[in-house]
Amino acid sequence: NVFYSRPASLKSWCRLDVALFPFDQQECTFRFASWTYPPRLLLPVLSDVAVEVSDETGGVIGYTLLNVTSSHILRDYATIRGWPEVMFVVSLRRQAETYIVHVIGPMTTLVLLANLVFWLPLRDGRLGSGERIT
């Protein structure tokens, strides 16, 4: 048995479902397998080491890490049966507080203030300074 470990920095993308933005949760699936070595020469296995997901600043910016699950899968292809893969499923939830404080809150305040303009009283029975539509 040979354990060949190299430090690596993986950058990937995940298709996002933003239908419930900013209150959405995402699940990203990552698969690792060898396309150069057959299963009899290389068998990827899961280790007992905890999975660490972070960026350069030490966390996943804008998201809360909910769960990371891993599994070992044997896939069947047209010419090869039992091709080994290791799959990770990462569950993330967007931190909605940032959007509520910086986007939704100010926008709601501006909409309410803009509508309160129409409740201003007229001056001396006149139409004011011409800002009203007759």
Side-chain angles (χ1 to χ4, degrees), residues 109-123:
T109 304
L110 287 174
V111 167
L112 289 173
L113 287 175
N115 286 319
L116 288 176
V117 167
F118 295 105
W119 286 63
L120 291 176
L122 298 174
R123 283 190 273 156

Side-chain angles (χ1 to χ4, degrees), residues 8 16 23 29 34 39 44 49 54 56 79-80 82 86-87 97 109 114 117 121:
L16 300 179
F23 306 104
T29 303
S34 173
V49 179
S54 66
E56 292 81 18
T79 58
I80 299 175
V86 175
M87 183 173 71
E97 297 84 18
T109 304
V117 167

